[in-house]
Amino acid sequence: MNDILIQNTTAFFEKSFGSAPQKVVLSPGRINIIGEHIDYNDGYVLPAAIDKVIVFAFEKNNTSKSKVIAIDLNEEFEVDLTKEIKLSDVVWTNYILGVIKQLQDKGFSFEGFNCVFSSNIPVGSGLSSSAALECGMLFGIKELFNLTINKVDIALMGQKAEHWVGINCGIMDQFSSVHGLENKVIKLDCNTLEFEYHDANFKDYSLVLFDSNVKHSLFTSEYNTRRIECEEGLSIIKNNFPEIKSFRDCTEAQILSLKDKMNETVFKRVHFVVKEIARVTKACEALDNGNIELLGQLLFETHDGLSKEYAVSCEELDMLVATAKDDDAIVGSRLMGGGFGGCTINLIKKGHENEVKNKFSNLYLNIFGIELKFYDVKIANGTTLL
């Protein structure tokens, strides 16, 4: 599938600029297997790069201006590298301007370039197309002008570019886009950026995302509220157990012993967080042992916690996971990402994918009157030069 995207992007470049590109870069989207809403609670996440990508074609143009064409949007823009970089009214261009600004602020020297890009990452489905855009752009400029930038710094600069655009994201998306490896998940500590790879051999199972096609606007306000609730819970834990520095030092027994000292909502939030941190470790062990059925069970448990205790699910996602739980062909399912809409991630026994998709799309349409979308994904390499 990516081969056609590469051919089309390269052909479009040649048609637009009259020459073959000097560099072609692939930058992937990502999924998170488990470890949801714990990146800001000192937990670990378990992301992986996927085989949905943005393809970029680049050449130097020996001027001080850069011209960038977004094939899928049928839009283009030009930026003068000698002038101050400012936010634009055209949203997609800001991610690229943010990257250029990061490179300039860090003192890297480069000149004008031409670039076209095209993508098969579904936008707005929680697969981090913006991180793929930032990291692919950074990687391409680095390769084109022989800049010395390591992978971690590409991820950090991508994150800073997104902050500049006005989205206060964590590091997970950019980190997994850059560091992904085929058939490996990344156990990442979002604070220290220490990470380790674990095997993700799903040989008898398919990873399929079900896109609920809903987005409830609660996310931003509720996200901030969750952070405050977790901070309140952590301070109560520290008051009672002074040796505890963060949620990852905490046991479920300790949380349960403090149930009377917290209000019910705060208790539910921190109970979820401590259990989810433990589930990430269990998920790594399950993957190392090739026990995909156990991994699936952990996904169901995570969804249960996200829905009932962390309260970031919604009717549509709950219906998808409840139906999955009753389906023998599906060994695990949960909402993936911030919640209140977006996708569920599902582990389906190979050979049953089509019957599952037919069943779910009919049911979903009948209940909600909404079309369900499906994305088959494989775990793939991070940002690479072709």
Side-chain angles (χ1 to χ4, degrees), residues 140-368:
I141 296 170
K142 167 186 96 86
E143 290 293 330
L144 201 55
F145 295 98
N146 293 319
L147 309 177
T148 307
I149 315 173
N150 64 29
K151 283 183 175 182
V152 172
D153 286 331
I154 288 178
L156 287 166
M157 286 161 81
Q159 181 193 24
K160 280 228 171 81
E162 189 135 350
H163 290 177
W164 182 76
V165 173
I167 297 155
N168 193 16
C169 62
I171 189 63
M172 172 172 79
D173 300 349
Q174 291 81 4
F175 197 95
S176 28
S177 190
V178 176
H179 287 82
L181 279 182
E182 194 174 351
N183 296 328
K184 300 275 182 191
V185 294
I186 307 163
K187 185 187 183 190
L188 170 64
D189 179 326
C190 292
N191 285 352
T192 64
L193 300 190
E194 290 175 276
F195 69 100
E196 59 191 36
Y197 291 107
H198 289 268
D199 287 334
N201 187 348
F202 296 121
K203 55 183 186 300
D204 301 325
Y205 301 87
S206 293
L207 271 175
V208 183
L209 307 179
F210 297 1
D211 186 345
S212 68
N213 251 328
V214 294
K215 270 191 196 38
H216 298 290
S217 57
L218 288 164
F219 179 64
T220 310
S221 60
E222 291 292 327
Y223 175 81
N224 294 334
T225 310
R226 291 301 169 280
R227 293 191 79 142
I228 293 161
E229 288 161 347
C230 290
E231 281 160 22
E232 185 187 323
L234 187 58
S235 67
I236 295 169
I237 295 164
K238 286 176 172 174
N239 285 342
N240 288 274
F241 298 102
E243 72 279 10
I244 287 177
K245 302 274 185 294
S246 79
F247 283 118
R248 71 171 75 163
D249 307 326
C250 202
T251 64
E252 192 184 348
Q254 286 169 319
I255 298 284
L256 293 170
S257 75
L258 298 174
K259 192 168 184 180
D260 301 338
K261 300 201 162 133
M262 299 179 189
N263 75 45
E264 191 187 351
T265 302
V266 168
F267 170 77
K268 282 181 178 172
R269 306 297 188 249
V270 298
H271 192 225
F272 166 76
V273 167
V274 169
K275 287 197 294 185
E276 183 72 351
I277 289 172
R279 272 192 288 268
V280 174
T281 304
K282 287 180 190 162
C284 290
E285 288 165 10
L287 283 165
D288 292 342
N289 297 324
N291 190 345
I292 306 304
E293 301 263 343
L294 173 58
L295 177 68
Q297 191 51 48
L298 293 167
L299 297 190
F300 281 131
E301 285 174 23
T302 289
H303 184 83
D304 204 44
L306 285 168
S307 177
K308 295 190 175 107
E309 293 197 309
Y310 217 68
V312 291
S313 188
C314 59
E315 190 187 1
E316 295 89 349
L317 295 171
D318 285 345
M319 172 264 168
L320 289 172
V321 176
T323 310
K325 218 175 223 168
D326 289 338
D327 193 313
D328 291 339
I330 304 178
V331 295
S333 176
R334 70 173 188 86
L335 80 84
M336 187 183 80
F340 303 111
C343 290
T344 61
I345 179 169
N346 301 270
L347 282 164
I348 302 175
K349 291 176 185 168
K350 281 219 169 124
H352 296 273
E353 298 90 344
N354 286 341
E355 65 186 73
V356 163
K357 288 175 185 175
N358 289 334
K359 172 182 143 180
F360 273 76
S361 49
N362 290 332
L363 261 175
Y364 195 72
L365 193 60
N366 286 341
I367 295 172
F368 299 111

Side-chain angles (χ1 to χ4, degrees), residues 1-3 5 26-31 48-55 119-122 127 181-183 207 209 375-382:
M1 190 164 70
N2 290 341
D3 292 349
L5 189 66
L26 305 190
S27 192
R30 66 100 193 100
I31 52 173
I50 54 171
D51 59 345
K52 303 252 183 280
V53 298
I54 303 179
V55 177
S119 172
N120 58 20
I121 306 172
L127 301 183
L181 279 182
E182 194 174 351
N183 296 328
L207 271 175
L209 307 179
Y375 311 123
D376 299 283
V377 296
K378 288 190 171 64
I379 293 181
N381 287 318

Side-chain angles (χ1 to χ4, degrees), residues 14-118:
E14 288 176 12
K15 196 177 80 186
S16 304
F17 297 109
S19 53
Q22 292 166 317
K23 304 283 178 188
V24 176
V25 169
L26 305 190
S27 192
R30 66 100 193 100
I31 52 173
N32 185 26
I33 302 289
I34 201 163
E36 211 63 85
H37 279 282
I38 55 171
D39 52 341
Y40 54 87
N41 281 315
D42 207 28
Y44 303 94
V45 287
L46 203 61
I50 54 171
D51 59 345
K52 303 252 183 280
V53 298
I54 303 179
V55 177
F56 298 82
F58 290 91
E59 71 174 359
K60 296 179 183 178
N61 64 20
N62 305 314
T63 73
S64 63
K65 291 180 177 168
S66 289
K67 185 174 182 179
V68 181
I69 305 174
I71 299 176
D72 311 331
L73 299 172
N74 196 21
E75 289 182 27
E76 58 181 69
F77 84 111
E78 195 169 74
V79 54
D80 187 336
L81 301 177
T82 60
K83 299 203 169 124
E84 190 194 346
I85 303 287
K86 294 192 175 117
L87 282 166
S88 140
D89 294 336
V90 185
V91 175
W92 71 268
T93 66
N94 285 331
Y95 293 97
I96 292 159
L97 293 169
V99 160
I100 291 170
K101 183 171 167 41
Q102 280 306 309
L103 287 163
Q104 289 181 345
D105 288 354
K106 297 264 188 311
F108 288 104
S109 124
F110 57 98
E111 290 162 359
F113 57 88
N114 297 327
C115 170
V116 309
F117 67 91
S118 184

